[in-house]
Amino acid sequence: MSFSDPCLILLDCQRDQVTGANGKIDPDNRLVLDRIRDLLRHARQSGWRVCHCQFQGDGPASGRAPVDGLRPTAQEAVFQRRGLSAFSDPYFHQVLARSAGSTALLVGFSAPFSILATVFDDANRDKAITVVPDAVGALAVEPRDVAETRAMAFDLVGRMAPLMDWGSLTRDWPVEAPTV
């Protein structure tokens, strides 16, 4: 890991944040999952700092399990929180402090809730988390579908945090597609 390597933050990459009420994964979220898996693979191979921040609600623990392919390794920090923002874990801010001077990339799920809450808290702390919209998913919030929910969330997120599109990210840090 070098000083300029980014820190990758996976927020709410849990089954209950990916699977819709019908028990299926929306095609938009399936694409997000593939991108996050590719990015995580690249981050691990490149020695980036990786951390996982998971919401610990009151529902069944089985739904809160990490999505297959996005499970933390023993070397990766895992923050478990009860509040919406990643900063509701009292130690999360230390990840950003240790990553000062490098880019902190935020990807994951729950765009209209946890992602937005984290961006609000980040703005209040004068930090600089960069959100990768192409690697952030959401469940539908009625009456909106997944695409509309994401668009609504990113209308707000983009006003408060730097955004990095997938093309720029893969140009700056070449993320290779998985070999089959």
Side-chain angles (χ1 to χ4, degrees), residues 28-100:
D28 287 348
N29 284 336
R30 191 163 301 285
L31 178 60
V32 167
L33 276 171
D34 290 343
R35 286 183 172 149
I36 295 172
R37 284 183 183 120
D38 292 347
L39 185 56
L40 179 59
R41 185 180 309 105
H42 176 77
R44 287 172 172 164
Q45 290 171 348
S46 301
W48 296 2
R49 175 175 283 130
V50 174
C51 70
H52 303 258
C53 193
Q54 301 170 347
F55 182 70
Q56 294 302 306
D58 295 326
S62 61
R64 295 189 310 260
V67 174
D68 293 336
L70 301 180
R71 294 182 186 285
T73 66
Q75 295 79 29
E76 296 167 351
V78 178
F79 300 94
Q80 306 223 351
R81 64 188 206 291
R82 288 206 163 282
L84 284 178
S85 170
F87 290 97
S88 65
D89 181 292
Y91 299 104
F92 179 75
H93 72 280
Q94 293 176 359
V95 169
L96 298 179
R98 282 182 288 213
S99 299

Side-chain angles (χ1 to χ4, degrees), residues 4-25:
S4 61
D5 284 338
C7 171
L8 180 61
I9 303 164
L10 284 81
L11 186 65
D12 292 349
C13 291
Q14 298 162 262
R15 290 183 194 150
D16 62 349
Q17 297 299 318
V18 177
T19 306
N22 62 1
K24 297 182 180 180
I25 298 174

